[in-house]
Amino acid sequence: MEPVRPEFVPDPDASRAEMEALQREVAAAAVWEDDFDFAAERVSARGDSTLAEAADDSTERPLVAGVDQAFLEDRAVSVVVVRRGDEVVERAHAVTDLEIPYIPGLLSFREGGPILAAFAELDADPDLVVFDGSGRIHFRQAGLATHLGATLDVPSVGVAKGLLCGAPDDDLDERPEGWRTPIRADDSVENAADGTVIGHALQSRQYDTRPVVNPIYVSPGHRVAVGTAADLVERLCDGYKLPEPTRLADAYADDVKAEYA
DNA sequence: GCGACAG
DNA sequence: ATCTTGTCGC
């Protein structure tokens, strides 16, 4: 899979001002409305149970990809795992030199190139890509999921374990499983009107007692509406805090890393 | 100047 | 992200 918008490919050698300018362009080109050709109800972490549904598995179920990375000193191990239902249909990876350090707000310039290298090794073209990081929940609404989703022109969502910016409508403490609250743009988001819903905090997993689980932060990447992004990710969380595609990508990244260590 | 900050 | 032992529970 190659970039459909080469001009959006993040350049680690760009100046900070150029990076931010590109992010504004990406945000302006990003689509935050549903624009995908699969049924959201057909997205799930598990496979179909009935024979009738299993029969049309290959034609009806969308290809959902999970993307994650692991690191070796100054190299990144980037992986893409593609599934149809609960079946892994393809895995791709790339080991790339890292050019710049992690800077909040500029993550895609550090990890974007490496991730695109992994996509270049991928034959399948996914119906939906789940990235580990923010999408619209970003200072310029151009987080990793939005930047790479727009570059590849593929429907995408971002799932982050921490909140980069914006403010939740309600307190996030000890909420029940399935609970969600909007994340709205505040002064830190320069290109969105104050109060614009840019994502959701989603309590994807919670225990009845002891361990208090933190929520995940879901936001649209590209071609997915803010509410739909949360719906899709919720369907992909099979009793775990993180969606199954990213859990699989996580595990595969560790495997590949072990081979290069 | 102070605080906040995905992976 | 990564560095790390043990520990509680199904």
Side-chain angles (χ1 to χ4, degrees), chain A residues 16 20 23 102-109 132-147 158-168 172 183-191 198-201 215-220:
Chain A
R16 176 158 191 145
E20 296 182 351
Q23 291 183 327
Y102 164 69
I103 300 168
L106 301 178
L107 182 64
S108 59
F109 290 88
D132 61 317
S134 292
R136 251 188 110 171
I137 297 179
H138 176 93
F139 307 125
R140 287 163 293 281
Q141 298 190 92
L144 185 73
T146 298
H147 198 145
V159 176
K161 302 182 211 62
L163 186 60
L164 214 207
C165 61
L172 308 174
I183 299 296
R184 319 188 92 104
D186 55 18
D187 293 332
S188 67
V189 183
E190 67 167 51
N191 58 175
I198 55 177
H200 287 87
I216 55 178
Y217 302 90
V218 182
S219 57

Side-chain angles (χ1 to χ4, degrees), chain A residues 45-222:
Chain A
R46 293 154 152 269
D48 285 318
S49 51
T50 71
L51 287 174
E53 285 173 318
D56 62 23
D57 238 23
S58 59
T59 56
E60 298 285 352
R61 308 218 73 181
L63 288 174
V64 181
V67 177
D68 195 31
Q69 299 197 101
F71 301 89
L72 298 311
E73 300 191 12
D74 57 352
R75 285 183 301 167
V77 173
S78 309
V79 312
V80 184
V81 177
V82 182
R83 309 195 317 159
R84 176 157 256 149
D86 61 358
E87 181 185 352
V88 174
V89 298
E90 188 180 357
R91 286 186 288 211
H93 75 271
V95 179
T96 316
D97 288 329
L98 287 167
E99 313 278 4
I100 61 175
Y102 164 69
I103 300 168
L106 301 178
L107 182 64
S108 59
F109 290 88
R110 170 178 168 81
E111 308 188 346
I115 291 172
L116 290 174
F119 269 99
E121 299 298 312
L122 192 70
D123 291 321
D125 61 311
D127 293 296
L128 175 70
V129 179
V130 181
F131 287 97
D132 61 317
S134 292
R136 251 188 110 171
I137 297 179
H138 176 93
F139 307 125
R140 287 163 293 281
Q141 298 190 92
L144 185 73
T146 298
H147 198 145
L148 297 186
T151 302
L152 295 167
D153 192 28
V154 65
S156 64
V157 296
V159 176
K161 302 182 211 62
L163 186 60
L164 214 207
C165 61
D169 271 7
D170 301 290
D171 290 315
L172 308 174
D173 309 297
E174 301 178 41
R175 296 299 187 171
E177 195 166 302
W179 180 88
R180 75 169 70 163
T181 193
I183 299 296
R184 319 188 92 104
D186 55 18
D187 293 332
S188 67
V189 183
E190 67 167 51
N191 58 175
D194 233 77
T196 303
V197 179
I198 55 177
H200 287 87
L202 174 67
Q203 193 71 50
S204 53
R205 173 58 154 145
Q206 192 57 282
Y207 298 101
D208 296 328
T209 55
R210 312 305 187 279
V212 175
V213 182
N214 294 317
I216 55 178
Y217 302 90
V218 182
S219 57
H222 181 51

